[in-house]
């Protein structure tokens, strides 16, 4: 959505392709959702599809130098790489996640990589569209991406390239496996020894002190039935749990160091004041307790015991492999409900910070100028239209280079930032979310949420976020809310029709039974790079998975329910003629 300004179900990433490919990746023990109906459907290709035009394509056309260093996860093949979608220079991590040190255990015959880990340990990269055969010596992900972005900017400066630049700098950290250089881990030794609940309470108090939440906010209770309470852990288990959190904090600090060295260089060469810099998280904290997933219990845990060293003193090293689980995650997302991969606020509400160029002054009367903080609703889909507006570039929909493309759904922030509008989105804006069979629809302060078992009741719930930001008090069954619920369900159906959501539960729309072809698992990845010999001969392990035509095509994709288009569908804002860096 950063790259296109539109909904991920339209752009080809309706679900993580890893989860569509194998249903067991999609949920914990006790869940019932099968991803088979999504396989091969429009909007679920697993790469940035041809129905969208990418932000770097437009900026490159407009004369920008376009640079990427870090995570892509929008396609595994050269044809779907950053190089093919507008980045002049790119050093791209192609899968969802991998070992941050590039460590790969040497397996004994006849051992195989467990199904869960096939796409989560190999650090597959491409540079300018060509696969990287070997990572640099001493590789650590965040340092490597920082060095590469710094190198691109130095090359630009030293070659006297006068073009403005667009730099996309996404880290794979702090995604699991939690690994970081030991010197950073040492900075946090003992900091979290009182456990996740104590950390959660400290962070809630700090948010109140900063006036970022109300003093009387009611946080959502921690939901972590799949793991034992902190009080029941042994001393060794607590020590390892704390070390996992220390590793996470160390990864974040290393990100900060690498962002800092790039920002410092821009300041050194006199470019920082002419650059729009923004930083955000891509989703709520990762809280999955993978040890509770059947797909992990079956083979992965024994594999980790055999080929990795998860002893206390080694945690964070390249040959360790850990995550930190739901209690630490909810210390990060409080007061919100749940975490990553859920459509509750804990999964979709993230921090965003920005510094604007000097030639883009914020009005002195604006709340941002006075406090530095705004609680205006915004969506990641707004970034592309905002950047295009700041650059003076118009989105080309409905046609780009001879092919039909969809318009952006996000709105430019520029009118709000320059004071010509008091809001980014209308007060009663409408926004939908769906991922992994979890869903939500929001109109203004009202939000309906569908969370399947075991984390939710597997029915629609209703909350007023103005009075209940923690999504604690479900109003859906109150008699006076009957009409409100009907309205929200109509809006949900409209969202599904517009964006092409393929529902994984009957409660989310017209549910389609998977075809016999779709029932076949592990055949929906375009490049099986984890197979023996695949990285030596990529072409022999690359194929285009079957794509279906879809049903009831709507404006945004494969519409699978009846209804009329009515969700807010904003286009790009008007641009100013500027040539600053982005």
């Amino acid at each position: 959505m950063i790259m296109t300004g539109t909904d991920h179900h339209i752009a080809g990433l309706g679900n993580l392709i890893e989860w569509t490919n194998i249903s067991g990746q999609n949920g914990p023990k006790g869940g019932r959702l099968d991803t088979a109906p999504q396989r091969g459907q429009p909007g679920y290709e697993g790469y940035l599809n041809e129905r969208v035009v990418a932000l770097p394509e437009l900026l490159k056309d407009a004369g920008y130098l376009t640079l990427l260093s870090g995570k892509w996860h929008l396609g595994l093949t050269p044809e779907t790489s950053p190089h093919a979608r507008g980045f002049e220079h790119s050093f791209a991590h192609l899968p969802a996640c991998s070992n941050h040190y590039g460590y790969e255990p040497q397996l004994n015959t006849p051992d195989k990589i467990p199904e869960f880990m096939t796409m989560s340990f190999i650090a597959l990269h491409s540079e300018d569209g060509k696969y990287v055969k070997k990572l640099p010596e001493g590789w650590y992900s965040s340092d490597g991406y920082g060095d590469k972005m710094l190198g691109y900017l130095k090359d630009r400066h030293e070659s006297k390239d006068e073009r403005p630049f667009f730099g996309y700098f996404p880290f794979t950290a702090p995604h699991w496996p939690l690994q970081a250089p030991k010197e950073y881990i040492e900075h946090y030794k003992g900091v979290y020894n009182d456990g996740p609940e104590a950390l959660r309470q400290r962070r809630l108090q700090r948010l109140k002190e900063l006036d970022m939440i109300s003093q009387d906010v009611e946080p959502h209770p921690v939901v972590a039935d799949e793991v034992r309470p902190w009080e029941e852990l042994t001393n060794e288990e607590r020590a390892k749990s704390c070390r996992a959190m220390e590793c996470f904090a160390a990864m974040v600090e290393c990100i900060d160091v690498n962002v800092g060295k790039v920002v410092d260089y821009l300041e050194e060469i006199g470019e920082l004041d002419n650059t729009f810099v923004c930083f955000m998280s891509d989703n709520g904290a990762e809280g999955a307790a993978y040890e509770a997933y059947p797909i992990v219990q079956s083979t992965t845990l024994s594999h980790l015991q055999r080929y990795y060293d998860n002893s206390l003193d080694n945690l964070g090293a390249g040959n360790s492999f850990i995550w930190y689980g739901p209690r630490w995650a909810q210390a990060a997302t409080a007061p919100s409900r749940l975490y990553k991969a859920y459509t509750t606020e804990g999964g979709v509400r993230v921090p965003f910070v920005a510094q604007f160029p000097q030639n883009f002054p914020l009005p002195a009367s604006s709340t941002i100028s006075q406090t530095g903080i705004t609680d205006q609703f915004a969506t990641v889909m707004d970034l592309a239209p905002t950047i295009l507006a700041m650059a003076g570039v118009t989105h080309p929909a409905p046609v780009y280079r001879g092919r039909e493309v969809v318009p952006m759904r996000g709105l430019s922030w520029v009118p709000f930032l320059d004071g010509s509008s008091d809001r980014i989105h209308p007060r009663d804006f409408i926004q939908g979310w769906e991922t992994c069979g979890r869903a939500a629809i929001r109109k203004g302060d009202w939000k309906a949420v569908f969370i399947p078992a075991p984390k939710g009741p597997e029915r629609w719930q209703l909350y007023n976020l103005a009075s209940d930001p923690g999504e604690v008090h479900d109003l859906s069954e109150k008699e006076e809310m009957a009409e409100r619920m009907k309205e929200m369900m109509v809006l949900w159906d409209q969202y599904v029709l517009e964006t092409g959501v393929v529902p994984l539960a009957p409660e989310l729309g017209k549910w389609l039974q998977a075809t016999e072809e779709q029932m076949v698992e592990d055949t929906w990845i375009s490049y099986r790079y984890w197979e023996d010999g695949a990285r030596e001969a990529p072409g022999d392990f690359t194929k285009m998975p079957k794509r279906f035509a879809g049903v009831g095509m709507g404006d945004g994709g494969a519409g699978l329910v009846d209804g009329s288009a009515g969700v807010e569908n904003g286009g790009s804002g008007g641009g100013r003629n500027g040539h600053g860096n982005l």
Side-chain angles (χ1 to χ4, degrees):
M1 295 195 285
I2 290 177
M3 289 289 103
T4 64
T6 193
D7 192 279
H8 61 109
H9 298 91
I10 296 171
L13 289 304
N15 198 346
L16 295 179
I17 189 63
E18 297 85 354
W19 293 357
T20 306
N21 184 52
I22 299 175
S23 288
Q25 302 267 12
N26 195 50
K29 189 174 183 179
R32 66 173 178 84
L33 299 182
D34 189 325
T35 56
Q38 296 176 342
R39 295 173 188 150
Q41 291 290 348
Y44 291 82
E45 294 89 350
Y47 54 84
L48 212 57
N49 64 26
E50 63 276 4
R51 300 184 61 236
V52 295
V53 55
L55 177 60
E57 293 177 295
L58 298 179
L59 292 172
K60 185 178 181 181
D61 291 348
Y64 276 75
L65 171 64
T66 51
L67 309 170
L68 178 149
S69 181
K71 183 174 177 176
W72 178 239
H73 199 204
L74 299 174
L76 289 170
T77 65
E79 296 76 17
T80 57
S81 70
H83 184 73
R85 298 312 297 257
F87 281 104
E88 185 170 333
H89 293 297
S90 60
F91 189 87
H93 182 277
L94 301 179
C97 61
S98 71
N99 190 291
H100 295 278
Y101 286 95
Y103 168 78
E104 297 181 27
Q106 301 305 302
L107 304 188
N108 299 322
T109 305
D111 290 355
K112 298 288 186 182
I113 296 297
E115 192 174 57
F116 175 77
M117 292 185 66
T118 52
M119 290 172 281
S120 63
F121 81 101
I122 296 174
L124 181 69
H125 288 76
S126 72
E127 185 161 22
D128 295 344
K130 297 179 180 179
Y131 292 119
V132 174
K133 297 296 185 183
K134 189 176 187 303
L135 291 170
E137 290 297 323
W139 174 262
Y140 177 72
S141 63
S142 298
D143 291 336
Y145 303 140
D147 291 344
K148 184 62 71 170
M149 180 58 76
L150 189 61
Y152 288 151
L153 294 173
K154 285 183 174 180
D155 288 346
R156 168 183 175 269
H157 180 66
E158 292 167 3
S159 67
K160 301 189 185 309
D161 188 336
E162 296 297 325
R163 290 176 294 171
F165 72 87
F166 169 67
Y168 183 45
F169 192 19
F171 294 84
T172 51
H175 199 292
W176 53 263
L178 301 181
Q179 300 165 331
K182 200 168 187 65
E183 61 266 29
Y184 291 117
I185 298 174
E186 288 294 321
H187 295 169
Y188 300 93
K189 190 172 184 179
V191 170
Y192 306 107
N193 282 358
D194 48 0
E197 182 57 27
L199 178 63
R200 181 171 177 264
Q201 293 304 323
R202 287 199 301 272
R203 289 181 170 176
L204 283 167
Q205 182 56 38
R206 184 61 178 146
L207 287 169
K208 292 176 182 179
E209 292 169 1
L210 293 169
D211 287 329
M212 296 186 73
I213 59 175
S214 65
Q215 298 299 310
D216 60 352
V217 69
E218 184 177 359
H220 195 281
V222 171
V223 181
D225 294 342
E226 69 274 41
V227 296
R228 285 158 44 222
W230 178 257
E231 296 74 21
E232 295 181 11
L233 301 183
T234 66
N235 288 339
E236 181 184 8
E237 289 170 333
R238 289 188 189 185
K240 286 188 172 183
S241 182
C242 291
R243 183 61 51 82
M245 184 62 209
E246 292 167 11
C247 292
F248 179 90
M251 296 172 82
V252 173
E253 183 181 348
C254 192
I255 290 174
D256 187 56
V257 168
N258 281 283
V259 170
K261 70 187 182 188
V262 171
V263 170
D264 287 348
Y265 180 71
L266 292 176
E267 188 170 32
E268 177 187 327
I269 63 174
E271 291 270 22
L272 184 59
D273 289 341
N274 190 38
T275 304
F276 171 45
V277 181
C278 58
F279 183 90
M280 65 176 293
S281 176
D282 59 346
N283 42 243
E286 167 65 284
Y290 285 107
E291 65 271 24
Y293 282 42
I295 193 173
V296 175
Q297 292 174 337
S298 59
T299 56
T300 302
L301 293 181
S302 60
H303 176 83
L304 293 179
Q305 290 169 356
R306 185 167 188 178
Y307 289 105
Y308 291 82
D309 179 3
N310 283 344
S311 61
L312 178 62
D313 289 341
N314 196 60
L315 295 183
N319 63 337
S320 67
F321 198 107
I322 56 171
W323 46 86
Y324 73 178
R327 296 190 186 278
W328 293 112
Q330 288 169 93
T333 61
S336 300
R337 178 185 179 189
L338 292 172
Y339 39 80
K340 175 183 175 180
Y342 290 92
T343 50
T344 52
E345 292 295 280
V348 303
R349 185 183 179 97
V350 298
F352 179 94
V353 295
Q355 175 177 295
F356 297 94
Q358 280 192 344
N359 67 351
F360 194 90
L362 302 178
S365 60
S366 74
T367 56
I368 297 181
S369 291
Q370 294 170 6
T371 67
I373 298 173
T374 180
D375 60 359
Q376 283 272 337
F377 176 83
T379 162
V380 69
M381 291 185 291
D382 297 338
L383 265 176
T386 300
I387 289 170
L388 291 177
M390 294 177 75
V393 178
T394 302
H395 193 278
V399 177
Y400 178 71
R401 295 184 181 176
R403 72 175 193 270
E404 290 187 13
V405 295
V406 298
M408 296 183 292
R409 292 173 69 89
L411 296 179
S412 169
W413 298 338
V414 169
F416 171 70
L417 294 171
D418 69 15
S420 59
S421 174
D422 63 352
R423 300 192 62 82
I424 298 171
H425 291 262
R427 191 170 299 278
D428 280 339
F429 66 88
I430 299 165
Q431 175 64 45
W433 295 268
E434 188 277 337
T435 184
C436 319
R438 299 112 188 205
I441 187 76
R442 181 172 171 179
K443 180 180 181 181
D445 292 330
W446 292 97
K447 183 179 177 185
V449 177
F450 179 87
I451 303 297
K455 295 294 184 181
E458 213 148 298
R459 62 174 177 79
W460 284 98
Q461 298 172 291
L462 179 67
Y463 302 97
N464 186 308
L465 296 181
S467 58
D468 183 19
E471 295 171 307
V472 178
H473 301 288
D474 176 20
L475 306 175
S476 63
E477 296 183 335
K478 290 187 176 293
E479 185 177 348
E480 61 270 26
M481 291 296 163
E483 290 303 312
R484 173 73 65 181
M485 280 299 293
K486 287 181 183 178
E487 178 191 24
M488 300 301 279
M489 293 302 94
V490 169
L491 294 175
W492 168 255
D493 286 349
Q494 291 170 352
Y495 172 73
V496 170
L497 180 66
E498 288 188 357
T499 62
V501 172
V502 176
L504 294 183
E507 295 88 346
L508 301 184
K510 186 177 179 181
W511 185 69
L512 298 182
Q513 182 71 39
T515 66
E516 187 173 340
E517 285 179 286
Q518 289 176 303
M519 292 301 292
V520 180
E521 290 201 326
D522 202 19
T523 62
W524 305 90
I525 301 291
S526 56
Y527 175 31
R528 299 179 66 81
Y529 62 92
W530 61 91
E531 300 276 12
D532 291 342
R535 282 173 282 171
E536 290 72 34
D540 295 342
F541 295 83
T542 301
K543 70 168 187 175
M544 182 61 70
K546 185 174 180 62
R547 295 174 64 175
F548 302 103
V551 180
M553 293 295 288
D555 178 57
L560 300 176
V561 297
D562 296 326
S564 59
V567 176
E568 294 289 334
N569 188 358
S572 61
R576 59 179 63 202
N577 293 321
H579 302 285
N581 303 315
L582 302 163

